[in-house]
Structure formats: structure tokens, C-alpha cells
Amino acid sequence: MTKKTIGDQELALLQYIADTPKRSVAEVWAGFGEARGLARSTVLTMMERLRAKGYLTRRKIDGSFRYSATNGTGEVMTGAVARFVEKTLQGSVSPFVAWMSERGQVSDTELAELEALVGTLQSRRKGR
């Protein structure tokens, strides 16, 4: 079963919680929401929506609910990218690669990572 899509602000909140697990609503609001001008009730609503969509879990610890991401930060980002490619780019990464080449601001480290990924993809294709 695929999880429901999430918006940019929900993704940012999910990444924050994935990086700082087992946080109460008050702690998440203080560390994430307050700086963004969000009301505590808005943060709670977003957290509960993410929980309903299967991205967060909550457990009662010492009298308050503590929220954690169901997946780590890497998995959260991988899922977000996958949904972006499928939904926005209709499953093709070519527009993204074209954007990167036109941007011209790819660091040496990013370029090395891309080359390693291409190498991995080529190895997998040969292994078919």
C-alpha cells in the first residue's frame, strides 16, 4: 500500500521529526513551528495528519504523546523524491537531469555521487 502524498510543509515537518524523534507537540512546535510562525494547534494538526497518513507514530510516555517518523530521514527523502518523479515528472527523471545540467551549479561532490549512481545503474542493467 502506498502512503498518501504530503505537501512541502508537511515534508519539512516530517524531516524535522525524523531527525529529532520522540518529541512532544510542544517540543516540535518550539523547535520547528515557532520559527515558521505556525500556531501550536497548526503543528498538532499537521502531526496528526501525518500520523493518519502513516508517516508518524505516537506513544504515550510520561503522560504526553511522543511522535516519531515511521521511517528515517533518508527513507522520507527517498519517498518524497519518488512521489515527485511519479506525480510531477510522470515517471521520467530526464527533466530533472536537464535542469541540473542547465543550472551548472553541481559541486564536485554531487557530480561524483551522480557518476557513482550511474555506474550502479549500469551494473544492474548488465546483471539482468
Side-chain angles (χ1 to χ4, degrees), residues 27-72:
E27 291 167 335
V28 173
W29 174 75
F32 175 85
E34 189 174 28
R36 290 169 173 77
L38 302 174
R40 185 183 182 282
S41 60
T42 301
V43 171
L44 171 60
T45 299
M46 289 172 58
M47 291 170 72
E48 282 300 311
R49 284 184 183 156
L50 288 169
R51 189 171 74 89
K53 292 176 182 181
Y55 290 98
L56 293 180
T57 60
R58 74 175 187 190
R59 252 178 102 193
K60 199 165 203 169
I61 300 173
D62 297 329
S64 68
F65 285 113
R66 301 288 178 159
Y67 292 78
S68 295
T70 56
N71 296 313

Side-chain angles (χ1 to χ4, degrees), residues 108-123:
D108 291 341
T109 302
E110 291 170 323
L111 188 56
E113 289 173 359
L114 288 169
E115 289 171 342
L117 288 170
V118 168
T120 300
L121 290 170
Q122 289 172 335
S123 295

